[in-house]
Amino acid sequence: MLDRAVALDREDPLAAYRPEFVEAPEVVAYLDGNSLGRPLRVTTERLSAFVREVWGGRLIRAWEEGWMDAPTVLGDQLGRITLGAGSGQTIVGDSTTVLLYKLVRAAVTARPGRDVIVTDTQNFPTDRFIVEGVAAERGLELRWIDPDPDSGVSEEELAEALDERVAVLLLSHVAFRSGHMLDMKSVTAAARAVGALCVWDLSHSTGVVELHLDRDAIELAVGCTYKYLNGGPGAPAFAYVASSLQDCLAQPIQGWMGASDPFAMGPSYVPAAGIRRFISGTPPIVGMLPMRDMLELIERAGMPALRTKSLALTDFVIGYAQERLVPLGARIASPRERARRGSHITLEHPAFQGMVPELWARGVIPDFRPPEGLRVGLSPLSTSFVEVARGLGVVEELLAANPA
Ligand SMILES: *Cc1c(COP(=O)(O)O)cnc(C)c1O
């Protein structure tokens, strides 16, 4: 397996980008880029130059010299490079959780007379909790799709859940546990056919899967930037609202920064035109800095090349697991079909939970999702095949010594 990994690295056109990331000398295999991406070397200098020259040098004048427009300028850049979104439809700010609340709440309000929100039991906790909250707040019913955890929501389950009572459908594009990927275009069209709005969580697909939000007629989406966009811990999230919908949506956290003229300090709230109305308070400028470096790197490498390598990495993990880990009692809990797979693979074994401290001690860092899932995240610009082979090699060694 190591030989094959060496050969794959040698042929990898993206291998040259790896040295651009900060090194962690004691880390043998970082398999958690889907949870917290690694920082880029240039980010060190960008952060320190920002403190010295921009914040320190320009002080409050910098609000007029770029900070006020940062949520939309960075949003446009993120939209163009990773979402297939034309300008004026993406903002950066808040957390994924808060943006989810804003969009789900706005979407529900835009469908008066409808009393159902649909999501699935395998969705990420924050997504489930947000719709529980909105449903309680607005007196709506939650309708749960209960998909097979290894695969994901099926077309039949979706068809069964959608009807004229549904206001909003909230789904993750790539499931956080299994890595199962849905067809955004057809699911959105199915929701639209019954008059419902579809909100997508793109946290596990942004920066690893080619997205075409405009082309696929996607309406609403949010996503995280500290995973495959390497924005750093707590980096602000993004929201996408298709142009056609912006002026008919009212978001619930009406703050001064989303008002039509923030510095008029007017007596009541008048929302800004366009995507700016989805902003609430002062934008997190410092938190936006690292992701700019990653976006520039992704643009240089190109999203198609990233997806190609991501698939090769997930293929490699599946192949490794089938050959070496399944015989030791592990199970592959992710889709085998390439078109239905994001950029992580979940392996299950009752011994995994107990193994995590030993893996970390040996410099192998995957993450663990209860009850027994080891999630192997593969960030195409920073992960090498050799790194994956070494990391899985340690998993194999520990499993062999510790049979179920
Ligand atoms: C990581 C992740 C989030 C993160 O939400 P925060 O508000 O940034 O903590 C939300 N949804 C999904 C599907 C995620 O994977």
Side-chain angles (χ1 to χ4, degrees):
M1 280 296 190
L2 200 56
D3 290 351
R4 243 183 72 213
V6 169
L8 285 165
D9 277 335
R10 206 178 301 121
E11 293 157 18
D12 172 17
L14 301 186
Y17 294 107
R18 270 191 99 228
E20 303 207 21
F21 293 85
V22 172
E23 242 177 288
E26 80 293 356
V27 173
V28 173
Y30 188 57
L31 304 175
D32 219 347
N34 59 327
S35 205
L36 181 69
R38 304 175 73 152
L40 283 161
R41 283 177 198 274
V42 287
T43 302
T44 319
E45 178 49 28
R46 184 191 285 278
L47 289 172
S48 104
F50 176 84
V51 174
R52 270 195 325 269
E53 292 155 27
V54 190
W55 178 12
R58 301 309 299 157
L59 296 163
I60 200 173
R61 293 170 291 185
W63 280 110
E64 284 178 16
E65 294 166 358
W67 292 350
M68 279 302 276
D69 292 328
T72 50
V73 170
L74 183 58
D76 283 348
Q77 189 186 4
L78 189 156
R80 174 172 55 79
I81 297 169
T82 66
L83 305 179
S87 64
Q89 303 178 105
T90 312
I91 47 151
V92 173
D94 304 317
S95 63
T96 313
T97 302
V98 170
L99 288 178
L100 263 172
Y101 174 72
K102 290 190 196 179
L103 293 199
V104 169
R105 182 69 157 62
V108 158
T109 307
R111 288 293 179 271
R114 291 177 174 242
D115 65 344
V116 172
I117 302 178
V118 176
T119 192
D120 73 281
T121 54
Q122 294 298 317
N123 210 343
F124 190 78
T126 222
D127 301 62
R128 291 184 279 111
F129 301 164
I130 287 292
V131 289
E132 275 180 10
V134 172
E137 187 186 4
R138 302 296 313 265
L140 307 175
E141 179 186 317
L142 261 186
R143 188 179 287 167
W144 295 97
I145 299 173
D146 190 19
D148 177 344
D150 287 9
S151 45
V153 176
S154 68
E155 276 173 29
E156 301 76 54
E157 287 166 330
L158 194 68
E160 210 173 298
L162 291 175
D163 60 30
E164 261 76 51
R165 285 177 59 197
V166 179
V168 173
L169 168 65
L170 170 65
L171 293 170
S172 288
H173 180 217
V174 170
F176 82 102
R177 203 187 295 270
S178 66
H180 176 266
M181 182 163 75
L182 285 168
D183 178 347
M184 292 179 78
K185 185 181 177 180
S186 69
V187 171
T188 303
R192 191 180 298 116
V194 299
L197 285 165
C198 188
V199 181
W200 287 100
D201 189 327
L202 306 178
S203 294
H204 274 96
S205 45
T206 311
V208 276
V209 177
E210 288 171 84
L211 298 167
H212 304 280
L213 302 194
D214 288 351
R215 189 195 75 189
D216 292 347
I218 304 310
E219 294 154 332
L220 298 161
V222 301
C224 180
T225 68
Y226 50 79
K227 293 172 177 162
Y228 298 114
L229 294 186
N230 305 47
F238 68 85
Y240 165 93
V241 181
S243 303
S244 57
L245 274 177
Q246 289 170 5
D247 293 334
C248 12
L249 290 183
Q251 63 102 343
I253 307 178
Q254 303 183 167
W256 70 308
M257 280 286 170
S260 65
D261 183 359
F263 293 101
M265 307 282 169
S268 60
Y269 176 74
V270 178
I275 192 73
R276 282 201 81 88
R277 67 175 52 197
F278 294 91
I279 298 173
S280 295
T282 303
I285 301 297
V286 180
M288 293 180 186
L289 299 173
M291 84 178 86
R292 282 164 59 180
D293 296 320
M294 187 61 175
L295 286 169
E296 283 165 19
L297 191 67
I298 292 176
E299 188 166 39
R300 269 198 277 147
M303 276 306 305
L306 264 70
R307 174 65 175 159
T308 302
K309 178 160 177 200
S310 159
L311 285 169
L313 285 162
T314 48
D315 280 345
F316 184 78
V317 172
I318 290 174
Y320 193 111
Q322 254 157 359
E323 205 175 306
R324 307 273 186 93
L325 306 177
V326 170
L328 296 171
R331 208 174 68 77
I332 301 169
S334 293
R336 314 299 162 91
E337 217 183 310
R338 282 180 141 208
R340 294 203 170 262
R341 192 195 307 155
S343 201
H344 65 272
I345 297 293
T346 295
L347 305 172
E348 291 185 345
H349 192 289
F352 281 154
Q353 184 156 30
M355 277 167 46
V356 173
E358 177 68 11
L359 287 172
W360 281 39
R362 293 182 57 177
V364 177
I365 312 180
D367 74 8
F368 179 76
R369 286 290 175 267
E372 52 180 46
L374 201 69
R375 230 175 30 160
V376 181
L378 303 150
S379 192
L381 289 172
S382 61
T383 312
S384 72
F385 291 91
V386 164
E387 178 178 22
V388 175
R390 291 217 170 100
L392 294 180
V394 177
V395 172
E396 180 185 346
E397 189 188 315
L398 297 182
L399 270 186
N402 183 9

